[in-house]
């Protein structure tokens, strides 16, 4: 990377950080941040080829939003692309305000080409790293960016102040239009083609063709401690991430602080974020940070390439050390693609910094099977039945494969009392119990397609166990719940045991997340209080699984009074 590009990159990261440094000497009221996001196609060249890529404001990745806890955002989305689009502010609680959440046909109808919609929301009680992305079909392959939430003025991090910080967005690049990849998969019923590269801040890195000139570089001074805000924006892959010869200390996940955890590698699922501190305590030089797949599905194709960026030591004059710019960086040793032991050891070590409030009395005890399925075809030789043995791939929660509405959004139908759009009979447990991780009878492989919601009373204390199944294959499904964060109280392999597993739950200092992977061939348990009224999507953040139906929605009823009720919809909410 040339010195100008490096200087500009460093300047951008330091401008964000300068805002935080001012908190020690200045106090101010919460701010309102106004932005225009123009969604449009722009030429983007990667892997030797130029594509007409959907971007925001011509940027890939899109703009970084930097705010403080308590601030409000007013973001006008202007759709100049040829596709319908919505934007989701991943992990933002959106208290009483589902209208700003963004999932297509759940809380709004899409912004049509030529249309606009202004998202208005306030950050309340959240600090750390979140992100934003398109929530329409596969547009989020390129429409995404970081959302950084600093502490309120006068507050500080619960760890030593880093000297500088950088967002690190991990993504996937397709050497064709991602929407065409999806369209082909939905036609054939087969698994979609895998990506051609992973990226760090939009760049594949030195190990791919025609990519070295754009490789992202992160400058650091010897002895400095920096903060990396790592976001997995990949469409369909969990990732291992490491920095050569440098230990990382995890201090936050999904905009929640953690007890400091020293590690040489992290695993991060799509939708998740991880904040790590790194101290430049090695010999001055250039060190690769790298990411590659953590693949848990058996006999499934996946992108087995490796993306890299460079951690580059600088001299006191602000330039790279003598001879460094031409030397080959050191590459970290990453775990094997299927190293579930390393992934489990990492996730099971995460803790909140201290005791947190976890519901101990439970009102709603939910048990959700999550996994794949197959739809049988009357004509297995049809070009639309190219899944295993002449079938079509599907996915489901409790054997219900979620069908998104196409003429109205769930939230608008609920608010306006429009009948026939959804039902509220989603099953709290599997309709037919079975040996979830064993040899499953083929009669249970075909889910039922429906638009079913599960109703929760305001204030309900909820325990939810996600149980992976071996239908088609066991797999780690990163499950994201919109509108909420939750405590991850336990996990294990095999079938969940409702008698012997709950006594092992961590009800003292469990980690808090908004996206959690179901243990491959196992289960994970979460708890939360249903204190945010509205309709909130819950889904697997592997987007191929989402379009197959691995989703459902909660309908959280209003409580008592205005402060426990959904606010009215904005006047510019897109029409259906």
């Amino acid at each position: 990377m040339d010195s100008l590009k490096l200087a500009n990159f460093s300047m951008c990261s330091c401008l964000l950080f300068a805002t935080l440094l001012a908190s020690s000497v200045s106090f101010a009221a919460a701010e309102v941040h106004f932005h225009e996001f123009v969604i449009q196609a722009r030429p983007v060249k990667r892997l030797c080829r130029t594509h007409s890529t959907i971007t925001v404001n011509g940027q890939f990745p899109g703009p970084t939003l930097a705010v403080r806890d308590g601030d409000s955002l007013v973001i006008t989305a202007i759709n100049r692309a040829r596709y319908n689009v919505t934007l989701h502010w991943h992990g933002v609680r959106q208290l009483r305000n589902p209208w700003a959440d963004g999932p297509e046909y759940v809380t709004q109808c899409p912004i049509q080409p030529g249309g606009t919609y202004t998202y208005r929301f306030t950050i309340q009680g959240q600090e750390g790293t979140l992100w934003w992305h398109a929530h329409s079909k596969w547009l989020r392959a390129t429409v995404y960016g970081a959302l950084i939430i600093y502490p309120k003025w006068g507050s500080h991090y619960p760890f030593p102040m880093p000297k500088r910080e950088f967002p690190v967005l991990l993504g996937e690049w397709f050497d064709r239009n991602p929407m065409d990849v999806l369209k082909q998969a939905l036609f054939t019923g087969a698994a979609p083609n895998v990506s051609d590269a992973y990226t760090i801040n939009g760049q594949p890195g030195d190990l791919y063709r025609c990519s070295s000139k754009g490789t992202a570089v992160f400058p650091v001074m010897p002895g400095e401690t920096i903060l990396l805000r790592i976001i997995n924006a990949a469409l369909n892959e969990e990732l291992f991430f490491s920095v050569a010869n440098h230990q990382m200390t995890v201090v936050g996940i999904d905009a929640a602080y953690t007890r400091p955890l020293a590690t040489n590698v992290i695993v991060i699922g799509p939708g998740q974020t991880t904040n790590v501190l790194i101290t430049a305590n090695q010999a001055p030089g250039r060190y690769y940070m790298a990411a590659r797949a953590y693949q848990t599905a058996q006999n499934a194709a996946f992108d087995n390439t490796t993306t890299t960026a460079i951690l580059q030591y600088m001299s006191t004059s602000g330039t790279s050390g003598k001879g460094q710019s031409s030397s080959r960086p050191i590459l970290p040793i990453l775990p094997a693609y299927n190293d579930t032991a390393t992934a489990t050891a990492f996730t099971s070590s995460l803790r909140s910094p201290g005791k947190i409030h976890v519901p101990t009395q439970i009102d709603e005890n939910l048990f959700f099977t999550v996994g794949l399925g197959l739809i049988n075809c009357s004509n297995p030789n049809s070009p639309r039945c190219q899944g295993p043995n002449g079938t079509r791939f599907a996915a489901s929660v409790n054997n219900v494969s979620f069908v998104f509405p196409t003429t109205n959004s769930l939230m608008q139908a609920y608010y306006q009392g429009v009948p026939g759009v959804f039902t509220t009979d989603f099953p709290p447990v599997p309709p037919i119990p079975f040996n979830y991780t064993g040899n499953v009878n083929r009669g249970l492989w075909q889910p039922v397609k429906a638009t079913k919601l599960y109703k929760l009373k305001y204030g309900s204390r909820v325990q939810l166990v996600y149980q992976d199944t071996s239908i088609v294959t066991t797999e780690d499904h990163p499950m994201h719940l919109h509108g909420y964060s939750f405590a991850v109280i336990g996990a294990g392999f095999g079938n969940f045991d409702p008698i012997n597993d709950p006594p092992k739950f961590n009800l003292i200092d469990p980690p808090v997340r908004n996206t959690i992977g179901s243990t491959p061939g196992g289960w994970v348990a979460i708890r939360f209080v249903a204190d945010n009224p509205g309709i909130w999507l819950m889904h697997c953040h592997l987007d191929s699984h989402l379009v197959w139906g691995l989703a459902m929605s909660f309908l959280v009823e209003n409580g008592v009074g205005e402060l426990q009720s959904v606010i009215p919809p904005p006047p510019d909410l897109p029409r259906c």
Side-chain angles (χ1 to χ4, degrees):
M1 178 177 285
D2 58 52
S3 58
L4 178 59
K5 187 178 291 185
L6 180 60
N8 286 339
F9 190 94
S10 178
M11 184 181 297
C12 290
S13 67
C14 291
L15 280 174
L16 286 177
F17 192 64
T19 307
L20 181 61
L21 290 179
S23 67
S24 61
V25 295
S26 177
F27 297 87
E31 296 182 38
V32 180
H33 302 260
F34 296 88
H35 296 275
E36 267 194 2
F37 275 18
V38 180
I39 298 110
Q40 58 190 342
R42 282 291 181 266
V44 176
K45 186 175 183 179
R46 298 291 186 273
L47 306 181
C48 314
R49 296 179 62 188
T50 299
H51 293 271
S52 180
T53 300
I54 307 300
T55 66
V56 171
N57 296 350
Q59 302 175 40
F60 171 65
T64 292
L65 299 173
V67 301
R68 293 186 179 278
D69 182 21
D71 286 357
S72 295
L73 293 103
V74 179
I75 302 173
T76 299
I78 302 169
N79 187 5
R80 293 181 183 160
R82 59 189 176 105
Y83 304 105
N84 290 343
V85 70
T86 64
L87 297 177
H88 171 53
W89 319 96
H90 186 111
V92 176
R93 286 294 313 272
Q94 303 288 9
L95 292 171
R96 304 171 46 234
N97 185 19
W99 314 112
D101 192 45
E104 185 178 52
Y105 292 114
V106 177
T107 58
Q108 68 168 97
C109 287
I111 308 166
Q112 298 180 13
T116 66
Y117 177 48
T118 299
Y119 294 89
R120 295 175 170 88
F121 56 94
T122 299
I123 306 298
Q124 300 181 60
Q126 294 183 282
E127 297 177 13
T129 304
L130 295 175
W131 63 303
W132 59 267
H133 60 81
H135 215 298
S136 305
K137 303 293 191 297
W138 274 20
L139 288 181
R140 82 167 181 87
T142 56
V143 178
Y144 63 84
L147 171 52
I148 297 172
I149 307 172
Y150 293 111
K152 290 183 177 182
W153 290 104
S155 299
H156 304 280
Y157 294 142
F159 48 82
M161 182 74 74
K163 292 294 184 183
R164 65 180 88 193
E165 63 175 59
F166 303 97
V168 180
L169 292 106
L170 309 177
E172 280 183 277
W173 179 260
F174 292 80
D175 201 21
R176 58 181 294 197
N177 184 350
M179 295 289 275
D180 291 341
V181 176
L182 172 63
K183 184 178 180 180
Q184 179 185 21
L186 292 179
F187 176 83
T188 64
N193 291 335
V194 301
S195 58
D196 297 281
Y198 299 111
T199 58
I200 297 178
N201 289 354
Q203 296 290 343
D206 292 353
L207 305 186
Y208 298 89
R209 65 184 185 274
C210 306
S211 299
S212 294
K213 289 184 179 180
T215 299
V217 176
F218 299 85
V220 62
M221 300 292 292
E224 279 186 344
T225 296
I226 63 172
L227 175 67
L228 301 183
R229 298 177 177 270
I230 306 165
I231 299 164
N232 187 347
L235 207 61
N236 290 314
E237 199 64 64
E238 297 185 279
L239 297 166
F240 288 115
F241 176 89
S242 186
V243 182
N245 291 12
H246 289 74
Q247 187 176 71
M248 297 176 285
T249 300
V250 178
V251 292
I253 51 174
D254 292 5
Y257 293 116
T258 65
R259 181 187 305 170
L261 173 65
T263 182
N264 292 319
V265 64
I266 69 167
V267 64
I268 183 167
Q272 294 182 329
T273 72
T274 305
N275 284 3
V276 302
L277 297 174
I278 293 180
T279 299
N281 55 10
Q282 298 298 301
R286 305 170 67 202
Y287 299 85
Y288 276 133
M289 55 180 71
R292 74 176 185 187
Y294 167 47
Q295 172 67 14
T296 58
Q298 300 169 17
N299 302 316
F302 69 98
D303 181 348
N304 63 0
T305 62
T306 301
T307 182
T308 58
I310 298 172
L311 182 70
Q312 181 163 306
Y313 281 60
M314 310 296 290
S315 69
T316 55
S317 63
T319 60
S320 57
K322 184 177 179 180
Q324 284 187 35
S325 59
S326 59
S327 63
R328 183 75 171 180
I330 300 168
L331 193 66
I333 299 174
L334 289 163
Y337 300 113
N338 62 349
D339 191 346
T340 294
T342 292
T344 303
F346 173 75
T347 56
S348 63
S349 298
L350 295 168
R351 296 286 187 276
S352 288
K355 181 177 173 58
I356 66 169
H357 173 70
V358 181
T360 54
Q361 300 297 315
I362 299 302
D363 303 307
E364 296 278 358
N365 199 344
L366 307 177
F367 182 75
F368 287 1
T369 55
V370 293
L372 303 184
L374 298 174
I375 301 293
N376 295 321
C377 294
S378 56
N379 179 12
N381 296 319
S382 166
R384 296 185 62 84
C385 298
Q386 296 184 33
N389 301 313
T391 61
R392 292 179 60 86
F393 271 110
S396 69
V397 181
N398 277 356
N399 204 47
V400 179
S401 186
F402 191 74
V403 177
F404 287 84
T406 57
T407 59
N408 204 346
S409 77
L410 298 176
M411 190 63 216
Q412 285 163 282
Y414 172 59
Y415 194 86
Q416 298 164 0
V418 178
V421 178
F422 62 85
T423 60
T424 55
D425 56 345
F426 187 88
V429 297
I432 301 175
F434 59 97
N435 180 6
Y436 308 111
T437 55
N439 188 12
V440 181
N441 185 298
R442 285 298 179 107
L444 298 174
W445 283 41
Q446 179 161 306
V448 175
K449 292 187 175 184
T451 309
K452 296 177 181 286
L453 278 57
Y454 191 84
K455 190 178 291 187
L456 293 171
K457 290 188 178 300
Y458 184 92
S460 296
R461 295 158 295 188
V462 182
Q463 176 176 296
L464 169 55
V465 175
Y466 296 111
Q467 173 70 61
D468 184 31
T469 79
S470 57
I471 296 175
V472 181
T473 176
T474 56
E475 189 168 2
D476 188 329
H477 298 280
M479 301 301 296
H480 173 48
L481 176 57
H482 288 229
Y484 285 87
S485 294
F486 46 76
V488 183
I489 58 174
F493 291 95
N495 296 338
F496 175 70
D497 185 333
I499 303 299
N500 295 313
D501 286 328
K504 305 171 191 173
F505 285 169
N506 176 7
L507 304 180
I508 305 300
D509 60 354
V512 174
R513 306 213 72 141
N514 61 56
T515 306
I516 185 63
S518 62
T519 307
W523 56 271
V524 63
I526 68 173
R527 287 186 183 179
F528 63 95
V529 177
D531 59 359
N532 192 11
I535 292 179
W536 305 103
L537 183 65
M538 187 207 78
H539 65 96
C540 178
H541 224 279
L542 303 178
D543 276 28
S544 59
H545 295 180
L546 172 59
V547 297
W548 287 341
L550 214 171
M552 56 82 65
S553 289
F554 286 107
L555 193 169
V556 181
E557 297 178 306
N558 286 338
V560 178
E562 181 181 347
L563 296 181
Q564 294 183 2
S565 301
V566 170
I567 64 174
D572 64 334
L573 192 68
R575 292 188 176 185
C576 298

